[in-house]
């Protein structure tokens, strides 16, 4: 036997395993990016509610300065979360593009026509979902911007006119912000649904038993009769 041949076979197996593991790692990276983005959107919803609550509480107590500081801090947190969302989305986009390119490159090495068709169909389905997510995230961004602008303007007005009449003057702005917040919540929910759907479809772990796991085929009617009851067999 040629001593080189076994070594070549072992090396080929190692390289094949490495390529497979790299593909799975890319899947996990993309799914992780989706989860990070989902968490930021959830945090953004909480920050949104806090901004509205603190803005609505302006003048609720005699300490206008404290009211204003709470509102301003809440708005700062929301702006920070918006920045995190942009960063998370950029990272997710990069990971998804890397995933698709590597997937396409790996698919080009497939020998069978059917396997190439399966790969192309699956990849195109993933790309379609990513496009849906891009659209949803873009609409969410467009919904957030006027809200943040409105609240930032309200902060500037209050910072220079912090008294009962100044607080009353921004009431129409707060009413408008409430309406804008409703749109934001709807857009955020839509984006979150797509993220969760994508992440579940990409999961490299199946559902636990009793939680969506696919049951195996039931035994045929005569199966038990042919084998007998295992418990009865042990007793006998």
């Amino acid at each position: 036997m040629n001593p080189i041949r076994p070594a070549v076979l072992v090396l080929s197996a190692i390289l094949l395993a490495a390529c497979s593991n790299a593909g799975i790692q890319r899947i996990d990276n993309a799914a992780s990016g989706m989860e990070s983005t989902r968490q930021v959107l959830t945090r953004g919803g909480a920050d949104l509610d806090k901004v509205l609550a603190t803005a609505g509480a302006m003048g609720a107590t005699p300490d206008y300065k404290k009211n204003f500081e709470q509102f301003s801090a809440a708005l700062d947190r929301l702006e920070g979360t918006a920045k995190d969302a942009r960063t998370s989305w950029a990272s997710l986009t990069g990971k998804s593009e890397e995933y698709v390119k590597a997937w396409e490159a790996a698919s080009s090495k497939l020998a069978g026509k059917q396997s190439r068709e399966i790969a192309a169909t699956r990849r195109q389905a993933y790309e379609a979902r990513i496009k849906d997510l891009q659209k949803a995230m873009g609409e969410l961004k467009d919904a957030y911007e006027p809200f943040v602008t409105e609240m930032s303007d309200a902060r500037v007005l209050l910072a220079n006119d912090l008294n009962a009449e100044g607080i009353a003057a921004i009431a129409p702005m707060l009413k408008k912000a409430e309406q804008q917040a409703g749109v934001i919540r709807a857009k955020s929910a839509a984006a979150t649904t797509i993220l969760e759907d994508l992440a579940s479809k990409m999961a490299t772990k199946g559902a636990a038993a009793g939680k969506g796991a696919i049951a195996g085929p039931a035994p045929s009617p005569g199966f038990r009769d042919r084998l007998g009851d295992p418990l009865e067999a042990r007793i006998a």
Side-chain angles (χ1 to χ4, degrees):
M1 174 184 282
N2 186 344
I4 298 178
R5 183 173 177 79
V8 171
L9 292 174
V10 170
L11 180 59
S12 298
I14 292 172
L15 291 175
L16 181 60
C19 290
S20 299
N21 289 339
I24 293 172
Q25 185 59 52
R26 282 190 291 270
I27 295 172
D28 287 342
N29 288 343
S32 174
M34 290 171 194
E35 175 58 19
S36 296
T37 301
R38 187 196 66 77
Q39 291 178 0
V40 173
L41 294 188
T42 299
R43 178 155 45 97
D47 291 342
L48 175 74
D49 292 342
K50 188 67 174 179
V51 168
L52 290 171
T54 54
M58 287 296 305
T61 69
D63 193 346
Y64 297 161
K65 182 179 178 182
K66 183 177 180 180
N67 295 160
F68 175 77
E69 288 172 347
Q70 291 173 338
F71 164 61
S72 185
L75 185 55
D76 285 341
R77 281 194 298 273
L78 178 62
E79 290 175 332
T81 299
K83 183 178 179 180
D84 290 344
R86 289 192 292 271
T87 300
S88 180
W89 174 240
S91 175
L92 172 56
T93 300
K95 289 175 181 177
S96 294
E97 289 176 352
E98 177 190 359
Y99 173 46
V100 169
K101 287 179 182 178
W103 191 355
E104 191 168 11
S107 299
S108 68
K109 299 175 184 177
L110 293 171
K113 179 182 177 182
Q114 185 179 26
S115 58
R116 290 195 301 271
E117 290 175 348
I118 291 172
T121 300
R122 295 290 298 142
R123 189 174 64 252
Q124 289 164 6
Y126 172 77
E127 290 177 306
R129 293 190 190 104
I130 288 295
K131 286 181 180 179
D132 289 341
L133 182 57
Q134 288 174 333
K135 181 175 181 292
M137 291 295 289
E139 291 177 354
L140 178 57
K141 175 178 175 291
D142 291 343
Y144 256 112
E145 287 178 347
F147 175 85
V148 173
T149 297
E150 199 77 15
M151 291 295 90
S152 296
D153 286 352
R155 177 163 60 181
V156 172
L157 291 172
L158 289 172
N160 292 278
D161 193 20
L162 190 58
N163 51 64
E165 291 184 355
I167 293 171
I170 67 164
M173 298 177 70
L174 298 185
K175 184 176 181 180
K176 183 178 179 181
E178 285 280 2
Q179 295 171 342
Q180 292 169 332
V183 176
I184 292 171
R185 292 188 186 100
K187 298 298 183 183
S188 181
T192 298
T193 297
I194 296 173
L195 279 166
E196 291 175 343
D197 179 64
L198 259 172
S200 68
K201 284 181 168 61
M202 293 180 68
T204 54
K205 290 183 179 179
K211 295 184 178 180
I214 299 175
S220 62
F223 181 80
R224 189 180 186 84
D225 295 335
R226 289 196 303 271
L227 296 184
D229 189 314
L231 180 59
E232 291 175 356
R234 286 200 300 272
I235 294 174

